[in-house]
Amino acid sequence: MADGEPPRIAVVGVGLIGGSLGMAARERVRARVRGFDADPAALDAARERGAIDESAQDIADAVGGTDAVFVATPVGALAGTVRQVLAHAGERCVVSDVGSTKLPVTIAAADQRFVGGHPLAGAEGTGIAQARADMFEGATWYLTPAPETSGVLYERLHRLLVGLGARPVAIDAAAHDRLMACVSHLPHVLANVLVEQAVHAIGAQPSGARLGSPFAGGAPGPSFRDATRVAGANSDIWTDIYISNRAELCASIGRTIDALQAARKVIDAGDAAAVRAWNEAALAFKQRLARAEPSGEGEHELRVVVPNRPGVIAQIALALGRAGVNIADLALSPSADNSQGVVALWVQSDAQAREASRLVGELGFPVIST
Amino acid sequence: MADGEPPRIAVVGVGLIGGSLGMAARERVRARVRGFDADPAALDAARERGAIDESAQDIADAVGGTDAVFVATPVGALAGTVRQVLAHAGERCVVSDVGSTKLPVTIAAADQRFVGGHPLAGAEGTGIAQARADMFEGATWYLTPAPETSGVLYERLHRLLVGLGARPVAIDAAAHDRLMACVSHLPHVLANVLVEQAVHAIGAQPSGARLGSPFAGGAPGPSFRDATRVAGANSDIWTDIYISNRAELCASIGRTIDALQAARKVIDAGDAAAVRAWNEAALAFKQRLARAEPSGEGEHELRVVVPNRPGVIAQIALALGRAGVNIADLALSPSADNSQGVVALWVQSDAQAREASRLVGELGFPVIST
């Protein structure tokens, strides 16, 4: 992909996310988008909706000659599809995916061209009919580079996602799955458990086996309504997610059970000071989570000298991602002899620039300007 | 309270709910409202905001000569305050409260003038500053009459609440507390547990002890944000609620632990068909809960002959409440010799009118017209 030329992109799986990706790429970075889907009707609909320029016959046809490929199949099909894509994609093609779990596909790919991805975006419905070009505007887009990931290809992907309006954030694949187990998959499990509890609570009313007014016209408590909004989420999507991330999810359920047992003990004892302390601790946890980044004071550029070998860009991106430093954009300029290069990083504030300098310095890479 | 005359109401505790109640009563039913609060500043603010007409010196001063008293103190102070109010209220004064748990105060009151109440209404903040006259517009307002509750006084309270814009629904006090344990108190406990899990999940990221970008600018998953909105809710209010309803809440936590253990087992086994079946069951539970009442086809009036003794109106209201029949309004007309009377009930649809007729018939009361 030469600078300034529109990227050639393939999207494998043109549903809600794949279709939106195609639309965003066509509208925002003037990409030429080829699409493939196992369902011919979805592929036709994607072309009709302007999500792709061309329909491919198969995966080989879709990915040949492209600069970037996004696999947007259901999570259960990701690993196999990514391997097929890698078998047909060119040496300088970056391959990514958009699945909600990252470790299994990252392990299955094991290729310097692959970077796992997960945009935090979606809609109530599914399928190409709900797709839209602004789906990723301002959305966090997790990237999970592996040690073998090519820095050049990581940079290309990062810039492409910024072009789609997203905020790429690097994170270890395992840490991503642990985080998602807690902040997405566990809330879904709790929602499922809560609706079951409520049905039983109402069924258990003396002589009132029927479900009646408590839930007519909406849940009796907004906290219940909020906590159960995702109950029984799309089984085609969520069966795969639960199973794909079952190790982290089951560990998370286990910790939740422990925490509930502890909470029950505190509440059951009826000691107001202890109950208050438990509740105040939750408030403190919530406030820690809500603590926002320093507000942007304009972008700061950091220029770092790096050796030109795989994994360096990923290493920097991960270190900054872990520390909460958001890389708004990055650009890699190889030196003439290709032995090293300069990576320019743009971050959002003085404080983040200082932190980024410190972290990059700790990794052993000279910062030549901030 | 003679028909047509503005009711004289006392509100004890003029915070968010008490203040809103005063405003609604003054604006919507032209009530004369006396207020009392242990905090003189709150009482002054309530008068300034138009929530009360007059400030009382103490509880005796507040409730003397009134038709209805609402106790709107924190849950922990309800039982004692209600007993004080009953000691000073007249024989024909209906006394209610607005607490989130109903069994303890109902047991403590044990008086034919008392009907427990719980409006499903509130706001983000607390205190008189957030109070507003339309707080109860369309809101379900649970009433928990006891066997000794006076039918005449129950009817007065019901009509007054309809006048405030609310939808009164009768429910057993114990069933109310069991329901709230599940649909309000348990989601709060789960929210507290979830934020703790998330802090630990982020803290546990390899080499990344800092909280960073995953939560900057909002939670990474909408399901987490929704499920934790109420985490660390106001400790002044919730410490009392958790303790007051601890028997039902701890039972509910216990059932949740059992359900989570079962869910973990299904997910851990990795059997897609079983995980899908578990998720589909949750969807079915959610749909059962969401099943709305038949849409209103205009109000239907039911006239029922009832003996004039305590508990009859409560018995009818509870039977209809359990069956999901919403009493939009009711009116009691005693016979000349006061030995019996006719209660008119207004319900929302043909189907509800038929169901109400059947239920009232089963209780042994003749339905003279529908």
Side-chain angles (χ1 to χ4, degrees), chain A residues 9-76:
Chain A
I9 290 175
V11 177
V12 177
V14 289
L16 175 67
I17 299 296
S20 296
L21 213 164
M23 287 177 186
R26 292 185 72 221
E27 289 188 16
R28 303 186 58 136
V29 299
R30 299 176 301 121
R32 180 98 191 146
V33 179
R34 289 177 71 77
F36 176 70
D37 200 292
D39 175 6
L43 205 51
D44 289 346
R47 200 156 60 172
E48 277 159 29
R49 291 218 57 209
I52 58 175
D53 294 287
E54 302 165 292
S55 300
Q57 300 297 314
D58 52 31
I59 285 177
D61 182 31
V63 307
T66 57
D67 304 302
V69 181
F70 292 92
V71 178
T73 64
V75 164

Side-chain angles (χ1 to χ4, degrees), chain B residues 74-143:
Chain B
V75 164
L78 278 181
T81 309
V82 163
R83 276 197 300 253
Q84 278 185 273
V85 165
L86 287 166
H88 295 287
E91 269 311 296
R92 301 181 55 80
C93 174
V94 63
V95 176
S96 190
D97 75 307
V98 297
S100 298
T101 66
K102 295 271 61 75
L103 198 56
V105 68
T106 302
I107 291 170
D111 191 293
Q112 57 98 21
R113 295 167 296 167
F114 182 75
V115 187
H118 177 206
L120 299 182
E124 288 291 311
T126 58
I128 183 70
Q130 308 290 322
R132 39 175 238 272
D134 65 352
M135 176 74 77
F136 311 110
E137 185 65 48
T140 294
W141 192 309
Y142 285 116
L143 291 178

Side-chain angles (χ1 to χ4, degrees), chain A residues 25-223:
Chain A
R26 292 185 72 221
E27 289 188 16
R28 303 186 58 136
V29 299
R30 299 176 301 121
R32 180 98 191 146
V33 179
R34 289 177 71 77
F36 176 70
D37 200 292
D39 175 6
L43 205 51
D44 289 346
R47 200 156 60 172
E48 277 159 29
R49 291 218 57 209
I52 58 175
D53 294 287
E54 302 165 292
S55 300
Q57 300 297 314
D58 52 31
I59 285 177
D61 182 31
V63 307
T66 57
D67 304 302
V69 181
F70 292 92
V71 178
T73 64
V75 164
L78 277 181
T81 310
V82 163
R83 276 197 299 253
Q84 279 185 272
V85 165
L86 286 166
H88 295 287
E91 269 311 296
R92 299 181 56 81
C93 174
V94 62
V95 176
S96 190
D97 76 307
V98 299
S100 298
T101 65
K102 295 271 62 75
L103 197 56
V105 69
T106 301
I107 289 170
D111 192 295
Q112 57 97 20
R113 295 167 296 167
F114 182 75
V115 187
H118 177 207
L120 298 181
E124 288 292 310
T126 58
I128 183 71
Q130 308 290 321
R132 39 175 237 273
D134 66 351
M135 176 74 78
F136 311 110
E137 185 63 49
T140 294
W141 192 309
Y142 285 116
L143 291 178
T144 59
E148 66 269 23
T149 298
S150 151
V152 172
L153 295 182
Y154 182 87
E155 181 227 354
R156 180 189 301 167
L157 178 62
H158 184 115
R159 301 199 79 172
L160 177 56
L161 299 182
V162 170
L164 303 188
R167 293 173 50 240
V169 174
I171 186 171
D172 288 305
H176 170 276
D177 288 2
R178 196 176 312 125
L179 180 66
M180 287 300 126
C182 179
V183 303
S184 171
H185 312 162
L186 178 61
H188 279 75
V189 169
L190 292 175
N192 283 3
V193 166
L194 257 178
V195 291
E196 181 183 353
Q197 297 303 305
V199 167
H200 291 163
I202 292 172
Q205 278 188 50
S207 82
R210 281 190 51 197
L211 288 174
S213 53
F215 283 85
S223 57

Side-chain angles (χ1 to χ4, degrees), chain A residues 120 183 192 197 207 210 215-216 220 224 226 229 233 235-236 255 276 278-280 286 289 293 324 355, chain B residues 120 183 192 197 210 215-216 220 224 226 229 233 235-236 255 276 278-280 286 289 293 322 355:
Chain A
L120 298 181
V183 303
N192 283 3
Q197 297 303 305
S207 82
R210 281 190 51 197
F215 283 85
F224 181 86
D226 287 345
R229 194 165 285 131
S235 289
D236 292 337
R255 287 188 296 269
R276 175 180 287 269
W278 168 77
N279 193 59
E280 290 291 312
K286 186 185 185 187
L289 295 176
E293 293 289 272
E355 179 73 353
Chain B
L120 299 182
V183 303
N192 283 3
Q197 297 302 306
R210 280 189 52 195
F215 282 84
F224 181 85
D226 287 347
R229 194 165 285 130
S235 289
D236 291 337
R255 287 187 297 268
R276 175 179 288 268
W278 168 78
N279 193 58
E280 289 292 311
K286 185 185 185 187
L289 295 175
E293 292 289 271
R322 275 181 212 130
E355 179 74 351

